[in-house]
Amino acid sequence: MRPQAACIPTRRHVRRFALAALWMACPTAADQHLHAQEADSPEWDVTAPRGETHEIDFTTSEGTWMSVDLSADGEWVVFDLLGHVYRVPAAGGDAVSLTQNSGIAVNYHPRFSPDGTTIAFISDRNGQSNLWLMDADGSNPRPVFEDQSLRAWEPAWSPDGRFIAVRRSSTQRGAGGAGLWMYSRDGGEGVELVGSDYAAAAWPAFSPGGESLYFQVRTAPPGIWSGRSDIVHGYKQIRRLDLETGRVDEVTTGQVVQQGQTSSGGAIAPEPSPDGQCRADSHLIEVIDVTGT
């Protein structure tokens, strides 16, 4: 039987665009003073809508630019859409929002823990995009870390479920701390795994045995603007970090031909297979073995 499409009832508070655009273009002194007070006030609730808003209700069976994950038992699919995290049976049915109680906060990049009882995700409900956990049914949301100067993306669970790797950056220029970091699920300061030596390190993924971490890097030389530094031009590649020795190996590589604006290929978003023998890389979804061949 073909699985049913997920039906997703969605409700969002939307600020009237014309009003928001006018405020951004021509803020008054009173507006600026109020904004400063809100930013400094410990009572400011990030989840509450500001100004004039109205609700839009609709049902959809599709979305774009979504993060999706499957529970280890194959029973549930979790995904993000329009700033909320949803869960739907893998066989199809109605999706249920797990983060609706976070108001207008943005929640994304959900990932099931190996035992399926917990979901790691990113949320800005306390003012910055930090790493959070919730139970698989959406209850008991709690932060792994809260830091207004740090942003996080792309959580990845260690196979034993004790740790979570994330891509991290700092909001303070020159403050450092960017790269791939690992946190205990119980919180703490975190440990740097991959730092600034690997430009734009992103999309961490543990090997099934937990001995390695795969990730993507930007290999464009300095001076190449972002529109010319993408995967099509071979400027993003996959690397593998040995978590015991700290050695980083090339998994994919490509040669750029500037004259023709072509390359022999790039790769992003590594995802090792459960048996550890193959890995899917996002660019037309190519499957290669773990040696890179």
Side-chain angles (χ1 to χ4, degrees):
M1 179 179 296
R2 183 178 180 180
Q4 297 175 320
C7 293
I8 310 159
T10 302
R11 175 176 293 173
R12 297 295 291 173
H13 288 278
V14 181
R15 184 185 297 271
R16 295 190 186 278
F17 176 77
L19 179 63
L22 179 62
W23 183 88
M24 292 175 66
C26 306
T28 65
D31 289 331
Q32 292 173 332
H33 179 67
L34 178 60
H35 182 69
Q37 284 184 324
E38 291 176 341
D40 295 335
S41 171
E43 302 302 323
W44 182 38
D45 184 0
V46 177
T47 68
R50 320 296 284 187
E52 184 181 3
T53 67
H54 64 280
E55 291 185 355
I56 298 175
D57 291 298
F58 62 93
T59 300
T60 183
S61 60
E62 60 184 51
T64 59
W65 210 251
M66 299 157 61
S67 298
V68 181
D69 195 33
L70 179 68
S71 61
D73 60 8
E75 294 294 320
W76 294 98
V77 173
V78 68
F79 62 93
D80 55 38
L81 179 70
L82 295 178
H84 280 305
V85 173
Y86 293 83
R87 187 177 72 161
V88 64
D94 291 340
V96 175
S97 174
L98 303 182
T99 56
Q100 198 67 42
N101 60 358
S102 66
I104 63 169
V106 177
N107 309 274
Y108 55 97
H109 289 174
R111 291 292 181 267
F112 277 112
S113 62
D115 63 6
T117 63
T118 308
I119 297 171
F121 66 108
I122 305 299
S123 180
D124 69 352
R125 65 186 66 192
N126 280 355
Q128 188 53 274
S129 297
N130 289 164
L131 176 63
W132 284 66
L133 301 178
M134 60 182 165
D135 295 348
D137 62 359
S139 63
N140 191 26
R142 64 271 190 195
V144 175
F145 73 86
E146 291 182 276
D147 192 321
Q148 297 299 305
S149 68
L150 296 175
R151 295 191 183 104
W153 300 267
E154 301 155 5
W157 288 89
S158 63
D160 60 9
R162 297 171 55 204
F163 301 99
I164 306 165
V166 293
R167 173 163 65 103
R168 205 182 84 168
S169 74
S170 174
T171 63
Q172 301 175 2
R173 181 169 296 182
L180 303 180
W181 286 65
M182 185 168 68
Y183 289 86
S184 166
R185 64 177 297 160
D186 298 322
E189 294 299 317
V191 176
E192 182 184 88
L193 299 178
V194 177
S196 58
D197 291 343
Y198 294 90
W203 211 278
F206 286 94
S207 62
E211 69 281 353
S212 301
L213 185 79
Y214 293 89
F215 59 99
Q216 70 183 48
V217 295
R218 179 180 183 269
T219 57
I224 300 295
W225 58 284
S226 60
R228 292 286 304 280
S229 65
D230 62 14
I231 183 175
V232 175
H233 295 103
Y235 281 138
K236 285 187 170 63
Q237 302 292 346
I238 302 300
R239 301 290 181 261
R240 177 178 54 227
L241 168 68
D242 186 309
L243 292 172
E244 181 175 353
T245 66
R247 187 184 70 190
V248 175
D249 297 320
E250 291 185 352
V251 176
T252 66
T253 184
Q255 183 176 359
V256 176
V257 182
Q258 285 289 343
Q259 292 83 350
Q261 299 187 21
T262 59
S263 83
S264 55
I268 60 173
E271 293 290 346
S273 62
D275 62 7
Q277 299 302 307
C278 296
R279 183 185 59 260
D281 298 291
S282 281
H283 184 45
L284 303 180
I285 309 299
E286 179 182 4
V287 178
I288 59 179
D289 70 25
V290 294
T291 65
T293 57

